[in-house]
């Protein structure tokens, strides 16, 4: 059991809710959050898990994650397997997209749900088992000690990045260097999907791109003056899903130019 006690927002009563609409039609959970500063010991913490055809791995991920958070929200991104049914059985809340939006769209729906339900801290974790939920307490502790608005789990602060292909490592290093240069940061793993956020920061950020959400979100947060920290989290390469090969890498530069311009010019 985590030392961080569970403090669900007032009025939750452990109620389960689900919707098939991507407008995040979840009932409000009582009064707005207190305007005073929030500490991890008193904060309400929710995990959002974007899922596309993750029916096999979700039960274990939800069970492990629930030990460290108050509630778990699954964003079912129009899965074609029985992800929806599995999520309804195991998660506290489920939002199902009518059509697939990609990771950026799925996590944004999760942010909106967390904001509307008045949680203080949002943990983002993948549904495929690549991220270890046992690092959640350390992420929250780092958020408190460093007064950070975002904490990212980094593969480059340990040796697990060496398990990735040379092309993928080169891509991650390139995008991280770009973010550091343009955002005035000193981070090591901008593409990591294991993240902790203060909900107050998420309210201030725009909707991230579907395919390059991590770079766009991190760069926007940095340019808005939010504090970003990292902790070391080993992550094995995902066996399915995103396959970062030479063809994919070749398509990234023009896409990343557009993403970067979007942040520099419009946000």
């Amino acid at each position: 059991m985590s030392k961080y006690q569970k403090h669900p927002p007032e009025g939750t009563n452990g109620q389960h809710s689900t919707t098939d609409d991507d407008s995040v039609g979840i009932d409000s959970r009582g009064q707005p959050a207190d305007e005073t500063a929030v500490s991890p010991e008193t904060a309400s913490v929710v995990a959002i898990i974007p899922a596309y055809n993750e029916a096999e791995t979700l039960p274990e991920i939800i069970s492990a994650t629930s030990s460290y958070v108050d509630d778990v929200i699954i964003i079912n991104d129009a899965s074609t397997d029985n992800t929806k049914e599995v999520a309804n059985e195991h998660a506290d809340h489920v939002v199902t997209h009518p059509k697939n939006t990609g990771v950026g769209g799925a996590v944004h729906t999760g942010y909106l749900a967390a904001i509307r339900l008045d949680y203080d801290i949002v943990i983002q974790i993948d549904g495929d088992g690549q991220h270890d939920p046992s690092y959640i307490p350390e992420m929250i502790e780092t958020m408190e000690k460093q007064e950070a608005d975002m904490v990212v789990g980094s593969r480059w602060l340990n040796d697990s990045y060496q398990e990735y292909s040379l092309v993928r490592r080169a891509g991650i290093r390139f995008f991280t260097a770009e973010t550091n240069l343009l955002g005035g940061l000193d981070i090591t793993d901008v593409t990591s999907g294991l993240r902790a956020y203060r909900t107050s920061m998420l309210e201030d950020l725009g909707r991230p791109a579907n395919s390059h959400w991590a770079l766009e979100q991190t760069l926007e947060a940095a340019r808005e003056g939010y504090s970003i920290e990292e902790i070391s989290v080993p992550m094995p390469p995902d066996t399915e899903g995103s396959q970062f090969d030479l063809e994919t890498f070749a398509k990234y530069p023009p896409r990343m130019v557009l993403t970067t311009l979007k942040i520099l010019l419009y946000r």
Side-chain angles (χ1 to χ4, degrees):
M1 176 65 67
S2 166
K3 72 173 183 178
Y4 299 101
Q5 300 301 308
K6 295 189 174 184
H7 299 282
E10 183 178 354
T12 59
N13 296 322
Q15 295 178 346
H16 174 97
S17 64
T18 181
T19 177
D20 287 327
D21 184 64
D22 58 359
S23 62
V24 197
I26 303 178
D27 293 337
S28 176
R29 294 184 165 204
Q31 300 300 316
D34 191 343
E35 294 295 330
T36 58
V38 174
S39 68
E41 287 77 9
T42 60
S44 56
V45 183
V46 65
I48 63 168
I49 303 179
Y52 178 70
N53 293 344
E54 306 286 6
E56 292 187 6
T57 56
L58 272 183
E60 181 177 356
I61 296 301
I62 294 172
S63 177
T65 302
S66 295
S67 298
Y68 306 103
V69 301
D70 298 308
D71 287 314
V72 175
I73 300 175
I74 301 297
I75 304 90
N76 171 32
D77 198 21
S79 297
T80 57
D81 64 356
N82 63 329
T83 290
K84 178 181 177 180
E85 290 74 19
V86 171
N88 282 332
E89 180 180 355
H90 295 276
D92 297 289
H93 302 283
V94 180
V95 182
T96 294
H97 286 170
K99 61 180 180 180
N100 184 270
T101 64
V103 178
V107 297
H108 183 65
T109 294
Y111 304 153
L112 293 179
I115 291 168
R116 294 186 184 185
L117 296 177
D118 294 326
Y119 289 97
D120 300 309
I121 295 174
V122 178
I123 304 296
Q124 180 175 308
I125 187 167
D126 285 355
D128 60 3
Q130 186 183 27
H131 299 155
D132 184 350
S134 68
Y135 285 89
I136 291 175
E138 183 180 350
M139 298 179 79
I140 298 176
E141 185 176 9
T142 299
M143 179 174 287
E144 178 189 27
K145 289 183 176 180
Q146 302 297 328
E147 297 184 348
D149 300 295
M150 180 194 304
V151 177
V152 180
S154 172
R155 296 159 284 194
W156 256 260
L157 295 177
N158 54 74
D159 293 334
S160 62
Y161 74 90
Q162 296 180 6
E163 301 178 36
Y164 291 74
S165 70
L166 180 62
V167 173
R168 189 168 185 182
R169 294 203 305 268
I172 295 172
R173 284 186 178 276
F174 173 81
F175 303 136
T176 300
E178 178 189 10
T179 304
N180 285 339
L181 176 65
L182 298 178
L185 296 173
D186 184 21
I187 60 175
T188 63
D189 194 356
V190 74
T191 66
S192 171
L194 178 59
R195 300 182 173 214
Y197 312 95
R198 293 190 188 273
T199 309
S200 56
M201 184 200 72
L202 292 175
E203 291 183 275
D204 197 34
L205 301 183
R207 185 194 187 285
N210 290 337
S211 55
H212 307 304
W213 68 269
L215 183 146
E216 182 175 328
Q217 178 192 80
T218 308
L219 183 56
E220 182 182 6
R223 292 181 64 84
E224 290 291 335
Y226 289 104
S227 173
I228 303 172
E229 298 288 340
E230 292 183 311
I231 67 168
S232 173
V233 179
M235 298 180 201
D238 46 345
T239 56
E240 297 181 359
S242 176
Q243 299 300 317
F244 204 101
D245 54 21
L246 279 172
E247 181 179 357
T248 302
F249 183 66
K251 296 177 181 178
Y252 264 55
R255 294 177 181 175
M256 300 316 297
V257 168
L258 294 176
T259 298
T260 303
L261 289 176
K262 177 181 175 182
I263 295 298
L264 297 181
L265 297 178
Y266 299 109
R267 294 188 183 172

